[in-house]
Amino acid sequence: MKLVEAIIKPFKLDEVKDALLEIGVQGMTVTEVKGFGRQKGHKETYRGTEYTIEFVPKVKIEVAVTDSLVPRVIEAITRSAKTGSIGDGKIFVRDLSAAVRIRTGESGESAL
Amino acid sequence: MTQSKGCRGLVLPTMAWAVAGVLFWASSAWAQGMLPLPDAPKIESGDTAWVLISTALVLAMVVPGLALFYGGQVRSKNVLGTMMHSIVILCLVSVIWVLFGYSLAFGPDKGGVVGGLDWAGLSGVGVEPYPKYGATIPHEAFMLFQLMLAAFTPALIAGAFAERIRFSALLLFAALWSIFIYSPLAHWVWGGGWLGKMGVLDFAGGSVVHISSGAAGLACALVLGHRCGYRTDYMAPHNLSLTLLGTGLLWLGWFGFNGGSARGANAVAIGAVVATHIAAATAALTWMVVEWMHRGKPTLLGLASGAVAGMATMTAGAGYVSPMGAILFGLAGGALCYSAVVWKGKIGYDDALDVVGIHAVGGIVGMLATGLLASKGVNAAGGDGLFFGNPSQLGTQAQAVFVTGLFSFVGSYLILKVVDGLIGLRVSPEEETTGLDLSQHNERAYS
């Protein structure tokens, strides 16, 4: 099992969600986050005073999936979240040692 | 029954007529005793109504106009403290004005420097017009209109020390400033003092209101020093929609500020209102376009700032210049005030809400432009500027700019030092980080 984390542009959330549902992902967790990468924030100007906003608003999606689904999840997110301009975001994949469905007590891949 | 009823019906009107007759006789006899001389001033209801409405319009500029304009531009932890500055200064100056401030400013002249205390407590300031200050309106109406201008001016300064002044220090500073800076300045220009006698043209306060508050703002920014975290922390305005609401009220109120300075509902008042509106619109567009070209984006704060800068610029010359002249005021005010605000960042003093860039610069530009564009064709009681065949007017205006700016800057600097020595001007760094709302007033705007 893997946990796929994707940091994306907020306005792309709907498209990414639809793309993931299409390939058979059952659920996901979404968080509003702030951060920066090589893009390094943006600038705002108020009456001649410039402020650099280092932490840009982003959305983080977390999806827990079976190992076999990971390549398709990555492909779906990459395709649907891409605008081609700076600040499109990143995908991180990590190992998942356990999963439990609280209602039934099922564990492992059947809990996903 | 019927008879008595009819009888009563006859008696009552008879008595009423008798009483009315006695009253009429008494009142006409009394009136004859008090009858003014034929050439004495006579109150005009239209003029009085316009001055009273103008007074209320200028009140709306202070509270809530300026409170919203400034309150929106500070961080959310300082919005109540900043709004309190406007309303408490209004209340404080109102009381001072009635006690002796008005008399110092407009009372019988003492050597061209200050008004005497003859009118302290408004003694002798009644319903009868005082011809020098408006032959057709009650003297009290003029006093109250001028009270609003006197309250607006120190409230403007609050933008320079925003987000870091101790509340008690603000009270003491505003009181001393009103007594020792505003009242004498108003006397010099409008109350029969030496600048007015020199022929300085300042219709509604380009020097008395805007240069004086702007120069005081510069002194505040220098004496108080910059805010904690200046240039490193994010200090952007917390709610520009409040600022726009404030701008609208300032714009509305400025019709009274400049229009009411005509002291009547007359052609000069209309000319002043037309000029004010045109200058505001022109300066707002100018600021927007200059910022668009300079920074790449037109901004709401830019439009709002430009409108206020245009009206600050127009204040000196409204009532003296034509509508086409007002467009030139707006162009100059919008472009030069924008430049000043941008330069501020390079010079490095922390005039938090740009009192210097908008009011000092706007006031100076307006006073000088009045020396160029004023015309007796617009206002026979005014004067001609350089473009209308009177080059010396420009020099007179420049002298007034220099004198009022220097007097206010030096005087404010001294008052600030005195207040700092007595009670301390600034809140502690911890209180400043917490914000004025909680540290000074124990309340918060957004819970």
Side-chain angles (χ1 to χ4, degrees), chain B residues 4-352:
Chain B
S4 73
K5 202 178 183 178
C7 187
R8 221 165 46 205
L10 201 86
V11 166
L12 276 178
T14 314
M15 279 175 65
W17 277 113
V19 170
V22 169
L23 280 177
F24 178 70
W25 172 81
S27 66
S28 57
W30 176 76
Q32 263 169 2
M34 304 280 291
L35 204 63
L37 298 166
D39 58 343
K42 185 175 166 294
I43 291 173
E44 296 283 346
S45 59
D47 289 345
T48 306
W50 171 239
V51 172
L52 287 178
I53 290 166
S54 295
T55 305
L57 287 172
V58 184
L59 170 67
M61 289 174 77
V62 188
V63 178
L66 202 57
L68 289 165
F69 183 71
Y70 280 168
Q73 289 179 62
V74 296
R75 288 165 288 173
S76 56
K77 62 184 179 182
N78 294 320
V79 54
L80 296 181
T82 304
M83 289 179 160
M84 270 183 82
H85 292 170
S86 297
I87 185 163
V88 82
I89 288 173
L90 169 73
C91 300
L92 193 62
V93 170
S94 297
V95 175
I96 293 171
W97 195 247
V98 166
L99 290 179
F100 51 83
Y102 177 67
S103 196
L104 286 176
F106 291 95
D109 179 53
K110 302 285 181 214
V113 178
V114 74
L117 285 172
D118 314 45
W119 295 349
L122 300 188
S123 137
V125 180
V127 178
E128 286 299 306
Y130 188 75
K132 189 177 145 198
Y133 300 141
T136 57
I137 57 170
H139 191 180
E140 260 186 308
F142 175 75
M143 180 282 299
L144 194 63
F145 176 75
Q146 288 296 335
L147 180 154
M148 296 305 167
L149 270 60
F152 182 69
T153 310
L156 281 177
I157 307 171
F161 51 60
E163 303 198 294
R164 57 201 188 282
I165 198 163
R166 186 190 298 276
F167 190 69
S168 50
L170 164 103
L171 294 176
L172 186 56
F173 171 76
L176 293 174
W177 197 87
S178 178
I179 297 165
F180 292 107
I181 310 293
Y182 186 83
S183 281
L185 275 180
H187 185 79
W188 294 357
V189 179
W190 293 329
W194 66 284
L195 285 175
K197 282 177 189 155
M198 250 170 59
V200 169
L201 293 178
D202 184 356
F203 190 71
S207 62
V208 178
V209 174
H210 295 286
I211 294 179
S212 74
S213 59
L218 182 60
C220 287
L222 294 176
V223 175
L224 266 85
H226 55 68
R227 290 165 287 176
C228 294
Y230 179 60
R231 287 191 161 164
T232 51
D233 291 4
Y234 182 72
M235 291 184 169
H238 92 282
N239 189 343
L240 284 179
S241 45
L242 292 183
T243 298
L244 181 69
L245 195 55
T247 306
L249 283 163
L250 287 170
W251 198 324
L252 174 87
W254 230 298
F255 285 16
F257 198 103
N258 291 354
S261 291
R263 302 167 188 179
N266 47 41
V268 174
I270 292 161
V273 171
V274 168
T276 304
H277 183 67
I278 291 176
T282 311
L285 287 174
T286 306
W287 189 303
M288 183 191 79
V289 169
V290 173
E291 187 176 28
W292 201 345
M293 295 192 304
H294 183 214
R295 298 276 183 182
K297 290 274 202 304
T299 66
L300 177 83
L301 182 59
L303 268 173
S305 309
V308 173
M311 293 184 287
T313 306
M314 199 61 247
T315 301
Y320 296 135
V321 305
S322 67
M324 291 302 111
I327 288 187
L328 297 177
F329 272 71
L331 285 170
L336 293 172
C337 291
Y338 177 78
S339 314
V341 162
V342 172
W343 286 330
K344 175 193 77 167
K346 292 174 184 161
I347 299 166
Y349 63 94
D350 186 14
D351 170 16

